[in-house]
Amino acid sequence: MRSIKLGQVLLVAALFAMLGLVAFGIAWAWDATNGVNDVPMEANGWIALGLGSFFSLLIGCGLMALMFFSSRRGYDEAADPFRNKEPK
């Protein structure tokens, strides 16, 4: 069985401490802005939010599809100097 070193334990403890601080900060910010919800969003705001979300998702999916098809068709192989070259 592999033994756990003190450095690894300290690293995991530090990461969990940072995770706890982030969770506390998020909860604090959520509670701090809870009283600000008295101002309703108008229809133009909802339209802008919806269109912005839709186009962000559309651009993200389109770029991922382009990256997938580029990798499948071999366009990326010429730009990668670390792959083994096939002899001609």
Side-chain angles (χ1 to χ4, degrees), residues 31-40:
D31 287 340
T33 59
N34 216 5
V36 184
N37 292 336
D38 296 338
V39 180

Side-chain angles (χ1 to χ4, degrees), residues 13-25:
L15 289 173
F16 274 117
M18 285 190 280
L19 181 64
L21 285 173
V22 167
F24 174 75

Side-chain angles (χ1 to χ4, degrees), residues 71 74 76-78 80-86:
S71 176
D76 299 334
E77 292 178 9
D80 191 359
F82 299 109
R83 288 192 184 178
N84 294 333
K85 306 243 188 239
E86 294 180 16

Side-chain angles (χ1 to χ4, degrees), residues 17-58:
M18 285 190 280
L19 181 64
L21 285 173
V22 167
F24 174 75
I26 289 172
W28 177 79
W30 186 273
D31 287 340
T33 59
N34 216 5
V36 184
N37 292 336
D38 296 338
V39 180
M41 188 184 301
E42 296 179 5
N44 290 338
W46 285 109
I47 291 170
L49 180 65
L51 288 174
S53 300
F54 173 74
F55 284 116
S56 294
L57 187 63
L58 183 72

